[in-house]
Amino acid sequence: MSTPQTRTPQEVFADHGRRLGTGDLDLISENYAEDAVFVTPEGVLTGRAGVRKGIGRLLADLPGAEWHLAPQFAGDVLFLQWTATDSTHEVTDGVDTFVFRDGLISAQTVRYTLTDRTA
């Protein structure tokens, strides 16, 4: 396995997706720099503890969701449009931005609207 410093943004993001699937917030947060920022419309969360809080909220909003991702990489930046659907809720307008540094995620923005699922 690659050391964090040698992983490409694409490798980090692929690993991030695998870790998200586990729901293990500690495991997920290990892909983030210790000084990472996690920016949401509600405010800025900092460090791995902030990442755990922010990702925890997202996973709680969409437990067991089916995700559809449209990533666009530009060097050390990823623009991600996404949708997700679970048994009762859906997101049709998810947008995240990731900034990668030294084989880890150093910053992420997250914005989505959680609505009741339509048939």
Side-chain angles (χ1 to χ4, degrees):
M1 181 174 191
S2 299
T3 62
Q5 293 79 12
T6 62
R7 297 187 306 168
T8 66
Q10 292 84 350
E11 289 170 332
V12 175
F13 185 67
D15 189 48
H16 178 64
R18 286 187 292 274
R19 291 176 186 224
L20 279 173
T22 70
D24 181 334
L25 295 175
D26 289 328
L27 184 66
I28 294 164
S29 71
E30 290 174 4
N31 261 333
Y32 289 77
E34 289 186 31
D35 63 348
V37 293
F38 192 91
V39 184
T40 73
E42 293 78 35
V44 178
L45 302 169
T46 59
R48 289 182 176 159
V51 167
R52 286 190 293 273
K53 183 176 180 182
I55 298 285
R57 183 179 308 136
L58 173 66
L59 294 178
D61 280 349
L62 293 159
E66 180 178 326
W67 301 80
H68 298 279
L69 309 178
Q72 296 179 60
F73 288 91
D76 289 338
V77 177
L78 165 61
F79 178 74
L80 177 66
Q81 295 181 84
W82 56 272
T83 62
T85 306
D86 70 14
S87 60
T88 58
H89 294 97
E90 65 184 356
V91 169
T92 59
D93 64 351
V95 176
D96 294 12
T97 302
F98 292 77
V99 178
F100 300 88
R101 181 184 74 226
D102 299 328
L104 295 169
I105 301 163
S106 65
Q108 180 180 353
T109 66
V110 178
R111 192 226 161 275
Y112 61 93
T113 307
L114 186 68
T115 58
D116 291 335
R117 184 174 179 184
T118 57

